[in-house]
Amino acid sequence: MGEIIAAKVKSILVYPVKSCRGISVLQAPVTSTGFRWDRQWMIVNENGRMYTQRVEPKLALVQIEFPSEAFVEGWEPSSNSCMVIRAPGMGLLKVSLSKPRAKVDDVSVWEWSGSALDEGAEAAEWFSKYIGKTSRLVRFDSATQTRSTDPDYARGYKTMFSDQYPFLLISQGSLDALNRHLKEPIPIDRFRANIVVEGCKPFSEDLWKDIKVNKLTFSCVKLCSRCKMTTINQQTAVANPEVTETLQGFRSDTILLPNKKPKGQVYMGQNLVWKDCYGGGGNSKVIRLGDPVSVLRQVSSTAEAAA
């Protein structure tokens, strides 16, 4: 099928520290593992296992600040460049964006384990105090480590500390449709999207297989199954099950995917990989607010979507 302009980019969000608050930006450089800086850091327990809001909802209140120039294509940090971290009741934590030196082994996120770069004692003490449990802040070591995406859905691609895939896209129309079912409308921050688009019908993204954002081509590899984090208010860290219960009523696998074996999941949004990430080319590799989103290929119904 031909190229159809279906939507435009409304918001771009980057989450440097897994499960902490995201940063809304005007533009973001695209890499093979996701937006630059996205989920490059993670908080781990004394056994190297990830902490997320599922178990520690107060991570929702941890704010991350970056130099604005960090999202300009080609920018490289100097020895003075820092990520600034804030949380209620805590002093400022500054983490150098220049690579730390110490390595730590046996860091794990879901099924993957490997080594990472340790951000040191000050960051460890800060997060241990805030969470109330022994913690360390670690950085993905892309020089020595690879974390592959599920080959059943996206063979040959990789990510850093995101749950499964490099990018997550949701339409504003889908959020608006959900909010019509909820007693209290919720903002998009519940869904941890990287790209929010507008101008398309609710859940149009279910059908998309290949899309172009500006001049960059992405494959939509899997509907995003939603977890407990969508129930956590990102301003208060308090959970309310209404979101999941409501999605169960019209976005469950039994409803959307009647020909597939039910897994007890609810879905909202599409996981993406950057299709031409290994192809070179001279075009700017940045996504900006307002960029057009074209659909290159789509399925005819949600029942045909990968999930």
Side-chain angles (χ1 to χ4, degrees):
M1 60 181 286
E3 196 171 308
I4 302 168
I5 303 288
K8 68 177 183 178
V9 176
K10 180 178 191 256
S11 304
I12 299 166
L13 297 134
V14 179
Y15 307 87
V17 182
K18 184 177 181 67
S19 252
C20 296
R21 202 167 281 183
I23 302 172
S24 181
V25 295
L26 300 176
Q27 65 174 48
V30 174
T31 79
S32 61
T33 56
F35 283 135
R36 189 177 186 193
W37 310 114
D38 192 61
R39 274 84 165 203
Q40 199 166 340
W41 286 266
M42 178 172 68
I43 307 142
V44 297
N45 67 14
E46 58 192 340
N47 298 316
R49 189 76 182 152
M50 65 176 177
Y51 277 128
T52 74
Q53 287 184 38
R54 298 169 186 88
V55 177
E56 300 296 341
K58 68 195 297 186
L59 290 177
L61 307 181
V62 177
Q63 294 178 283
I64 310 297
E65 186 182 304
F66 260 62
S68 56
E69 61 270 22
F71 298 97
V72 174
E73 188 176 20
W75 180 82
E76 289 300 329
S78 71
S79 57
N80 299 323
S81 304
C82 287
M83 168 171 66
V84 178
I85 303 178
R86 294 178 170 86
M90 300 292 295
L92 280 187
L93 173 64
K94 291 187 176 183
V95 177
S96 173
L97 292 180
S98 300
K99 282 273 166 65
R101 293 183 186 169
K103 283 201 177 188
V104 57
D105 292 323
D106 299 323
V107 165
S108 58
V109 47
W110 299 118
E111 74 302 328
W112 179 89
S113 64
S115 64
L117 299 167
D118 194 314
E119 291 292 5
E122 185 184 353
E125 288 167 16
W126 193 96
F127 278 104
S128 297
K129 181 181 177 185
Y130 180 66
I131 294 173
K133 300 172 186 173
T134 301
S135 309
R136 297 199 78 79
L137 181 66
V138 299
R139 184 174 182 173
F140 195 87
D141 184 7
S142 52
T144 67
Q145 303 293 303
T146 299
R147 184 166 168 248
S148 299
T149 53
D150 186 335
D152 290 342
Y153 294 95
R155 182 176 294 277
Y157 292 91
K158 56 188 179 177
T159 187
M160 288 196 197
F161 289 139
S162 64
D163 269 1
Q164 293 180 305
Y165 300 95
F167 301 91
L168 175 60
L169 178 147
I170 290 179
S171 72
Q172 182 65 40
S174 300
L175 178 66
D176 293 343
L178 170 61
N179 277 335
R180 286 193 283 272
H181 290 80
L182 295 173
K183 296 188 191 78
E184 293 283 330
I186 59 171
I188 200 69
D189 63 9
R190 296 289 187 95
F191 293 96
R192 312 290 289 181
N194 296 113
I195 303 168
V196 182
V197 301
E198 62 182 353
C200 57
K201 292 179 180 176
F203 308 110
S204 296
E205 64 269 30
D206 287 359
L207 308 182
W208 299 347
K209 293 298 290 180
D210 289 317
I211 63 172
K212 192 179 277 187
V213 184
N214 196 358
K215 298 188 184 327
L216 304 176
T217 307
F218 295 83
S219 287
C220 304
V221 295
K222 187 178 184 290
L223 296 182
C224 185
S225 57
R226 308 311 314 209
C227 68
K228 178 187 175 183
M229 278 178 66
T230 61
T231 70
I232 299 168
N233 184 318
Q234 298 295 295
Q235 307 307 310
T236 65
V238 175
N240 181 335
E242 186 195 0
V243 176
T244 302
E245 291 166 358
T246 303
L247 286 171
Q248 199 72 45
F250 74 116
R251 296 292 298 171
S252 70
D253 49 12
T254 52
I255 294 167
L256 298 179
L257 307 163
N259 304 323
K260 295 180 182 173
K261 184 179 178 182
K263 300 175 185 174
Q265 302 284 359
V266 295
Y267 296 96
M268 186 138 165
Q270 267 276 14
N271 290 297
L272 311 182
V273 294
W274 178 25
K275 196 171 182 180
D276 29 40
C277 63
Y278 303 116
N283 293 328
S284 171
K285 296 172 177 60
V286 173
I287 288 178
R288 297 177 174 86
L289 293 191
D291 276 352
V293 179
S294 309
V295 178
L296 307 179
R297 191 166 63 96
Q298 64 180 0
V299 296
S300 57
S301 71
T302 302
E304 298 171 52

